[in-house]
Amino acid sequence: MSTTVIISTVLITLALIFYSLGVWSERIIRYLKLKHVVFFWTGFIFDVSGTIAMHKIASGPFNILETHTLTGQIALWLMLIHAVWATYVVKNGTETTRKNFHKYSLFVWLIWLVPYFGGMYIGMFN
């Protein structure tokens, strides 16, 4: 196994860990705090880094029409929007928004799992 494969796998797994920590710790207390926003941004940064590393090991050109590429791009953009919005809500949001934000967080996390497990499947069976 190449070093790039190991690095990309570790980065994507760190994205899963940090993003999941943010989503589930927010969900449990049902209130968005700054620490959750830090977890979201950290997970996003690891995900982008892992995606770049995986792109370097991909055999073909970037093709947005491939299912894994498309779902991965959707997930990355949703994560970015989620982190930006969470940052705004922590700084300027109402108490009601902070109490209900976990619903959106869980939705984005579930969407993110599609390319995560899809990538795992591709890695094991391709």
Side-chain angles (χ1 to χ4, degrees):
M1 189 179 306
S2 76
T3 305
T4 308
V5 171
I6 294 169
I7 290 170
S8 62
T9 302
V10 167
L11 291 170
I12 293 295
T13 302
L14 286 169
L16 173 69
I17 291 167
F18 279 96
Y19 209 70
S20 298
L21 279 171
V23 168
W24 285 103
S25 62
E26 177 203 4
R27 175 90 174 157
I28 289 167
I29 67 169
R30 299 198 188 290
Y31 189 81
L32 180 64
K33 294 183 174 184
L34 179 59
K35 71 178 181 178
H36 303 127
V37 176
V38 171
F39 284 136
F40 298 154
W41 279 110
T42 304
F44 175 73
I45 290 166
F46 278 125
D47 198 24
V48 169
S49 301
T51 300
I52 291 168
M54 286 187 184
H55 181 68
K56 292 178 190 260
I57 61 174
S59 58
F62 180 84
N63 181 358
I64 194 69
L65 299 177
E66 289 180 3
T67 303
H68 182 64
T69 304
L70 180 61
T71 59
Q73 285 297 304
I74 291 168
L76 275 175
W77 285 103
L78 277 174
M79 286 176 75
L80 176 61
I81 293 165
H82 177 247
V84 168
W85 189 12
T87 303
Y88 174 82
V89 168
V90 164
K91 289 184 176 185
N92 304 314
T94 65
E95 286 297 304
T96 302
T97 306
R98 289 179 81 161
K99 288 178 182 176
N100 290 318
F101 197 83
H102 64 92
K103 296 171 188 174
Y104 178 61
S105 297
L106 187 60
F107 170 76
V108 173
W109 182 78
L110 288 169
I111 297 296
W112 185 84
L113 289 177
V114 172
Y116 179 83
F117 286 115
M120 187 184 298
Y121 179 84
I122 290 167
M124 290 189 300
F125 298 108
N126 252 359

